[in-house]
Amino acid sequence: MLHELFSPSVQHALDLAGIFVFAISGALLAVRKNFDVFGIAVLAEVTALGGGLFRDLIIGAVPPAAFTDLGYFVMPLVATALVFFLHPEVERIQLGVNVFDAAGLGLFCVTGTIKAYEYGLSLTSSAVLGLATAVGGGVLRDVLANEIPSLVRWDRDLYAVPAMVGATMVALCIQWDVLNTATGALAVVTAFSLRLLALRFHWRAPRAWNRRSSTAEEA
């Protein structure tokens, strides 16, 4: 099904681009946490490949693509080198990094959902794994950096919701037998656009209704 949306070469190039941008975000957090070069590389690799590894292990696609394609492993190391030597310059183009990160989010939630379905999962389970593919690496990144994952923090702009929307769109397209290049691209663009709008207007998920808490809120 994936090969019907993108040619193998295009799919591979898109995967590498998404991996690279996710790795940049992991490496930048490692620098902010004052990690050494090994720590930067680990966080870059985990952020870039964690979601895909989790998906592949769940669906039984072993060995995972991250271990069979050298480019998947090397691309985070390239991001590590870039951030290690040029992190002040990379920080200054954070807006651009966010845009590409949003694009990677949109791409991976779609391809993750399709791949899970191809391995026999139900539509609901496939959409869940599509979401996990897109956000799983970021969760592992934050855990390793000893931070509350951005995925569950109320003071972070919507991240999981755009991926959830994109994955759900793919599942519905499969259900209605209308999944093709156009509808797949629409799902990618929708998730991408929702993430950019959330960044622009600081959209956040609501907290509990009429909540009462004595816990100090974090900035």
Side-chain angles (χ1 to χ4, degrees):
M1 196 174 292
L2 270 176
H3 67 272
E4 296 175 0
L5 296 183
F6 310 108
S7 68
S9 59
V10 170
Q11 176 65 39
H12 190 254
L14 291 173
D15 281 347
L16 290 179
I19 285 170
F20 178 76
V21 177
F22 281 179
I24 288 286
S25 70
L28 285 174
L29 178 60
V31 170
R32 296 185 194 115
K33 289 287 187 174
N34 204 30
F35 287 11
D36 62 16
V37 64
F38 181 75
I40 297 172
V42 168
L43 223 58
E45 292 279 358
V46 165
T47 307
L49 304 177
L53 280 172
F54 175 77
R55 177 204 61 216
D56 287 350
L57 290 174
I58 291 295
I59 64 179
V62 291
F67 290 95
T68 58
D69 189 315
L70 185 60
Y72 284 23
F73 179 78
V74 170
M75 192 58 70
L77 298 181
V78 174
T80 296
L82 179 67
V83 171
F84 184 80
F85 290 107
L86 300 173
H87 65 88
E89 288 75 12
V90 176
E91 287 277 14
R92 281 197 287 270
I93 60 169
Q94 184 64 53
L95 176 61
V97 173
N98 287 340
V99 170
F100 285 105
D101 181 82
L105 181 82
L107 174 68
F108 285 174
C109 74
V110 169
T111 58
T113 301
I114 295 172
K115 186 170 183 179
Y117 183 75
E118 287 179 333
Y119 274 78
L121 269 65
S122 69
L123 290 174
T124 300
S125 297
S126 297
V128 170
L129 270 187
L131 170 64
T133 304
V135 305
V139 172
L140 292 173
R141 172 200 65 204
D142 292 343
V143 169
L144 287 177
N146 198 30
E147 290 201 342
I148 298 174
S150 298
L151 186 70
V152 297
R153 290 187 59 168
W154 72 270
D155 57 341
R156 293 292 187 267
D157 301 328
L158 293 179
Y159 194 76
V161 171
M164 191 182 306
V165 170
T168 300
M169 288 178 65
V170 172
L172 291 175
C173 286
I174 295 173
Q175 174 69 40
W176 296 330
D177 197 26
V178 293
L179 183 63
N180 51 44
T181 302
T183 55
L186 178 62
V188 172
V189 171
T190 300
F192 170 68
S193 300
L194 285 175
R195 173 57 178 164
L196 289 187
L197 288 170
L199 288 170
R200 173 64 179 83
F201 297 106
H202 302 296
W203 291 346
R204 293 167 183 172
R207 291 184 285 171
W209 188 258
N210 290 329
R211 61 182 291 274
R212 297 288 186 270
S213 175
S214 59
T215 304
E217 294 183 352
E218 296 184 27

